[in-house]
Amino acid sequence: QVQLQESGPGLVKPSETLSLTCFVSGDSMDSYFWSWIRQSPGKGLEWLGYIYYNGKTDYNPSFKTRVTISVDMFKTQFSLRLSSVTAADTAVYYCARHPGVQYFDLWGRGTLVTVSS
Amino acid sequence: EIVLTQSPGTLSLSPGERATLSCRASQSLNSAYLAWYQQKPGQAPRLLIYGASTRATGIPDRFSGSGSGTDFTLTITRLEPEDFAVYYCQHYVTSPMYTFGQGTKLEIK
């Protein structure tokens, strides 16, 4: 059974870089897209970007200057970096898989990241 | 940017009743790119419907999706206790960009 698990610091200081990793277990990452999505009370669900298994990335234009997604196929994990964070970046961050571009068929349990000094 | 507006914000029903949830888009959508998710407290969203009307693997047939253009509907016939949750619609465009509605909370009456 394929599972996704997010990992990373739960507290990040303003202006620093938020870094999270999603560990994929139970299957390879081949032929899938892998996304980061966040959820906050104020903004709801927001898609940040995805990486294809071949390394191609695309990002939400609203975050394009601050977000980087990378993949390590051998370790079956992919990562998110969001720079210059503010309190507005406080959210639950999810990693998710999609078999095609249209929808997300598997999600991690999510991890809460708080931006605060 | 396409905006998805879900209604009602909260729907209060009893087990056994029928639920009808609406997702309205600010412009006409490709229905192939419209999906619905269920989210329970403390859990990640779960895919219910994709392509506007195709149930995801393992989703009971009391869940159905319909619609086209700007108006889409998720229907749950014969509500079960485990169906009370928040429901989101989601759309993809080839920018790429994924947009979610603000959600409908289905609560027990």
Side-chain angles (χ1 to χ4, degrees):
Chain A
Q1 184 179 0
V2 185
Q3 291 187 317
L4 308 182
Q5 179 66 59
E6 303 87 352
S7 179
L11 181 63
V12 181
K13 290 183 168 54
S15 80
E16 294 190 346
T17 296
L18 178 160
S19 296
L20 296 174
T21 297
C22 180
F23 297 95
V24 180
S25 61
D27 198 2
S28 76
M29 298 182 71
D30 289 355
S31 303
Y32 286 101
F33 295 82
W34 303 90
S35 273
W36 286 98
I37 299 160
R38 73 182 190 183
Q39 185 173 33
S40 62
K43 290 288 192 73
L45 288 159
E46 293 182 291
W47 172 74
L48 300 176
Y50 69 57
I51 188 162
Y52 194 39
Y53 77 103
N54 63 5
K56 170 182 159 53
T57 55
D58 266 308
Y59 301 122
N60 182 328
S62 297
F63 300 97
K64 200 161 190 173
T65 60
R66 298 198 293 137
V67 69
T68 304
I69 298 175
S70 58
V71 66
D72 185 332
M73 296 281 290
F74 299 103
K75 293 184 180 178
T76 62
Q77 63 188 51
F78 63 108
S79 299
L80 169 73
R81 288 173 57 85
L82 182 67
S83 64
S84 306
V85 297
T86 70
D89 294 309
T90 294
V92 175
Y93 286 75
Y94 295 99
C95 56
R97 183 186 79 173
H98 30 141
V101 292
Q102 299 95 320
Y103 57 85
F104 310 98
D105 71 338
L106 184 66
W107 298 59
R109 297 185 67 174
T111 187
L112 173 62
V113 179
T114 301
V115 179
S116 175
S117 56
Chain B
E1 178 182 332
I2 292 175
V3 176
L4 300 178
T5 301
Q6 294 186 241
S7 62
T10 302
L11 184 57
S12 299
L13 293 170
S14 301
E17 292 192 297
R18 178 188 185 96
T20 302
L21 287 66
S22 172
C23 177
R24 178 161 290 176
S26 58
Q27 56 187 277
S28 186
L29 303 182
N30 182 336
S31 59
Y33 296 155
L34 194 284
W36 289 92
Y37 300 85
Q38 175 194 69
Q39 186 177 32
K40 296 180 180 179
Q43 297 184 19
R46 177 176 73 144
L47 177 67
L48 298 175
I49 301 284
Y50 62 91
S53 60
T54 303
R55 276 187 301 277
T57 303
I59 301 303
D61 61 7
R62 64 180 182 273
F63 291 89
S64 64
S66 63
S68 64
T70 60
D71 291 304
F72 295 85
T73 300
L74 175 70
T75 302
I76 313 169
T77 58
R78 303 180 309 278
L79 282 166
E80 298 286 343
E82 62 267 26
D83 298 336
F84 292 90
V86 181
Y87 292 84
Y88 296 95
C89 56
Q90 171 253 311
H91 183 253
Y92 163 81
V93 292
T94 55
S95 302
M97 185 62 183
Y98 299 83
T99 306
F100 292 87
Q102 85 281 14
T104 289
K105 182 180 182 180
L106 178 56
E107 65 176 22
I108 298 177
K109 190 173 182 180

